[in-house]
Amino acid sequence: MPTYSNYINGEWAPAARTFENRNPADTSELVGLFARASAAEMTNAVEAAQCAFAGWSSLTGPARGNFLFKAAEILDSRFEQLALEMTREEGKTLPESKGEVRRAINIFKYFAGEGSRMPGHLVPSERDRVFMFALRKPIGVVGLVTPWNFPSAIPAWKLAPALVAGNTVVIKPASAAPLSSWRLVEALAEAGVPKGVVNFVAGSGGELGEALVEAGPLKAISFTGSCGIGQWLHERASRRRLRIQLEMGGKNPTIVLADADFKAAVENCVNGAFFSTGQKCTATSRVIVEDSIHDRFVDAFVERTSKLKVGDGREPGIDIGPAVDQDQLETDLRYIEIGNKDGATLQYGGRRLSEGAWAKGYFIEPAIFTGVEEGMTIAQEEIFGPVAAVLRARDFDHAIRIANNVAFGLSASIQTQNVSRIFDYVQKIEAGLLTVNLPSAGVEYQLPFGGTKESSFGPKEQGPAAMDFYTDYKTVYLKY
Ligand code: NAP
């Protein structure tokens, strides 16, 4: 059984202790053993990154970009293997894993090109013979803390802009799915990225988070994960005035208006709510349906959902894989119980699936609740599983009011053919990622990514916006 070491200062460090990475579709299958780092190793990793900073940041942007292009080529040469590994460690279906690995490769390429652009500002001065401009400079050592649900894409969209901007990094992956990000670091190492520039430190978040946030040379943290951990990190990082970027939970609505393309709307809701087992931060967890089509929509939503096949994501024809682990499965089941107790109607699904081919995994039937009121727990709290709450809206304005009546503001979707409504929705909805006549999930890397309200804090990720977090300006006034 392979043991995946941590990567600190250009060395694959021997593992004093390990933790298991198991396949959530078949828990008898060990995907790998991972070194469980100590707090001291985290501190060493940050110090190694600090030592490497001067050399790495003095390279030209295009030179740094070339390392990313090379790493992208290496990843591409292992495409099938990486996708299969992702399905084995996270549980998502093989086509979904392939899509994510392709996205990670494209993210590397996109930001590799950014090394040759990195636009600053050049503006005319009010003074004669004064030339003024602002250059982007890297900020130093950045800590990257990532979740398990997009185990390759999220690490890629932090690593690539951080590195191309000239920062050095320490990445701490989620313990539930560390292999996909380990592969990114392996590719960067093979591409010849100098020692100390990229450091990989796996292990318990509680233990390593403390060491990371207290490490002297650290300048910034980019975190994606739950609101609770994000809040804790924010408080600790603020004490030291670290720069921080937080991408956290959501309670994302899809509004279905009476004039929507009905079939497409049903399909988009099923996709948004249940694909990837509902374990996308941008997944639809509330479906807000205009009164006049509510009952017809629910019938079609249930009918289509009942056709979804739950199982091992490696098998062809499977739509939904398992929950990522026992904890997430229990969370899903607990919220289903809460929905029932609060008086919502479990219209479809919600059973733990444990017979036959499901016996060794964390499988659950997708669940649809109807009769959900705005204030109910299942309409307010993030579940992060395949559970959709259907709410009834009198009209468009009412739907928008319900949609905004949560603490979160990550993604949102509307299904309608009415152009005025679409523009009203774009203006009024409180979310950072908006879709129209598409599922609420499914973003690309070329535009800014991130939410509002309690979902996010700090500059956006991805697209040109990513550079705002990973760089500082130096402003120059030059008399000639
Ligand atoms: P999580 O439990 O918050 O963990 C995220 C990361 O933080 C993991 O690497 C975890 O390590 C680490 N961690 C745990 N305790 C820590 C501490 N005290 N200090 C520093 N790091 C610590 O979240 P998750 O369960 O992996 O992911 C699901 C959540 O992520 C959901 O809420 C989802 O909405 C959110 N998410 C948001 C976005 C977005 O862009 N907005 C995208 C994807 C996911 P361990 O694994 O070792 O505990």
Side-chain angles (χ1 to χ4, degrees), residues 363-426:
F363 295 103
I364 178 171
E365 237 176 358
I368 297 174
F369 276 103
T370 55
V372 179
E373 302 293 337
E374 275 177 78
M376 287 181 182
T377 305
I378 58 164
Q380 290 292 326
E381 294 183 11
E382 183 182 53
I383 301 171
F384 218 53
V387 183
V390 181
L391 295 100
R392 200 186 273 267
R394 286 186 300 278
D395 53 23
F396 171 76
D397 289 329
H398 188 209
I400 292 282
R401 211 201 68 207
I402 296 173
N404 287 340
N405 186 18
V406 289
F408 302 98
L410 191 54
S411 76
S413 169
I414 194 166
Q415 312 290 313
T416 179
Q417 302 295 313
N418 183 323
V419 174
S420 299
R421 291 281 183 258
I422 291 171
F423 278 95
D424 281 344
Y425 152 83
V426 168

Side-chain angles (χ1 to χ4, degrees), residues 226-239:
S226 61
C227 290
I229 305 291
Q231 175 71 22
W232 180 84
L233 266 178
H234 190 187
E235 283 166 19
R236 294 299 298 269
S238 303
R239 287 189 212 165

Side-chain angles (χ1 to χ4, degrees), residues 239-314:
R239 287 189 212 165
R240 293 190 49 204
R241 299 210 194 118
L242 295 178
R243 184 178 289 205
I244 192 153
Q245 174 179 58
L246 306 170
E247 283 303 334
M248 301 171 288
K251 191 70 194 170
N252 313 305
T254 290
I255 296 173
V256 184
L257 296 184
D259 69 357
D261 173 337
F262 188 81
K263 236 177 120 187
V266 171
E267 204 56 40
N268 288 336
C269 289
V270 168
N271 178 312
F274 303 130
F275 283 25
S276 297
T277 324
Q279 297 174 150
K280 291 178 182 168
C281 52
T282 49
T284 297
S285 58
R286 295 176 297 147
V287 182
I288 303 167
V289 187
E290 199 166 356
D291 204 18
S292 59
I293 59 159
H294 176 278
D295 295 355
R296 188 162 72 96
F297 176 86
V298 167
D299 288 347
F301 190 34
V302 167
E303 163 73 13
R304 176 69 184 91
T305 302
S306 70
K307 301 275 178 353
L308 296 176
K309 290 208 169 67
V310 180
D312 187 326
R314 291 173 292 192

Side-chain angles (χ1 to χ4, degrees), residues 121 123 130-135 473-479:
H121 298 286
V123 293
V130 168
F131 199 72
M132 51 194 269
F133 57 97
L135 295 171
Y473 281 112
K474 258 189 188 166
T475 304
V476 181
Y477 298 88
L478 187 158
K479 175 84 180 161

Side-chain angles (χ1 to χ4, degrees), residues 19 144-150 154 157-158 172-177 202-210 212-213 223-230 232-233 246-250 279-282 324 328 382 384 408 410 433 449-451 455-456 461:
F19 65 95
L144 310 175
V145 183
T146 57
W148 45 262
N149 67 326
F150 285 99
I154 293 177
W157 80 52
K158 294 184 192 297
K172 149 68 188 105
S175 301
S204 148
E207 220 175 316
L208 299 178
E210 176 80 26
L212 177 68
V213 78
F223 168 84
T224 301
S226 61
C227 290
I229 305 291
W232 180 84
L233 266 178
L246 306 170
E247 283 303 334
M248 301 171 288
Q279 297 174 150
K280 291 178 182 168
C281 52
T282 49
V324 74
Q328 186 57 54
E382 183 182 53
F384 218 53
F408 302 98
L410 191 54
L433 300 160
F449 175 97
S455 292
S456 304
E461 304 202 78

